[in-house]
Amino acid sequence: MFPWTKRDAAAALSPTAIPRTGGIPWHGAGVSAVDVDLPFGRKGTRRVHCVQLNVGEFTVEFMFQEVLDLLNGRVHVVDPMGRGHDVFLCNAHGVEAAATAGKASEAGAWMANFPADALVIMRVPVTEPPVIVIPGHSVASLSAWLRKQPK
């Protein structure tokens, strides 16, 4: 009856990240990062500027601007692009601020074990150990690399 309902009911394919030209990958603390564009929208014709983080066989994309906002202290938690990832990227300051505001969480218990200047990719539920801890010196290197990437 309505032809678009069949199209909407079809399972969406997971988008493939497209490396940006001129981007040199970043490596540090067991993590690598690549500057990519991720197809977005129903037809995949729009592209969203993302940072793809790779840890061994694990790969996840975060919006480029949100990662910059995290590094600049404007936000404390960043969710990944797309579906199928039950992880989030956060800094210790954000979890610590939530804990001091009376909102203690399991993430706060994990973050108490890490340096305050670290970035962490945590799994949901937070009862499991983090996927990766990026120490402060590597965070500074990642931040410098991100700021050099074309917007």
Side-chain angles (χ1 to χ4, degrees), residues 51-84:
V51 175
Q52 183 180 67
L53 296 176
N54 303 298
V55 181
E57 296 294 317
F58 180 78
T59 300
V60 63
E61 293 87 14
F62 297 96
M63 285 186 69
F64 186 87
Q65 187 58 50
E66 288 182 354
V67 175
L68 282 178
D69 288 345
L70 177 72
L71 293 169
N72 290 331
R74 289 187 211 119
V75 298
H76 300 293
V77 176
V78 177
D79 291 322
M81 289 292 296
R83 292 176 232 161

Side-chain angles (χ1 to χ4, degrees), residues 79-104:
D79 291 322
M81 289 292 296
R83 292 176 232 161
H85 292 294
D86 292 332
V87 298
F88 60 93
L89 177 65
C90 65
N91 62 19
H93 294 295
V95 177
E96 184 179 351
T100 57
K103 301 174 186 174

Side-chain angles (χ1 to χ4, degrees), residues 45-56:
T45 54
R46 285 186 47 217
R47 300 196 189 273
V48 178
H49 189 187
C50 294
V51 175
Q52 183 180 67
L53 296 176
N54 303 298
V55 181

Side-chain angles (χ1 to χ4, degrees), residues 85-144:
H85 292 294
D86 292 332
V87 298
F88 60 93
L89 177 65
C90 65
N91 62 19
H93 294 295
V95 177
E96 184 179 351
T100 57
K103 301 174 186 174
S105 67
E106 292 179 12
W110 282 108
M111 295 302 283
N113 298 319
F114 308 126
D117 57 353
L119 288 182
V120 180
I121 298 177
M122 299 289 297
R123 293 188 192 275
V124 176
V126 189
T127 55
E128 297 182 32
V131 175
I132 190 73
V133 177
I134 305 172
H137 66 279
S138 291
V139 171
S141 171
L142 175 63
S143 178

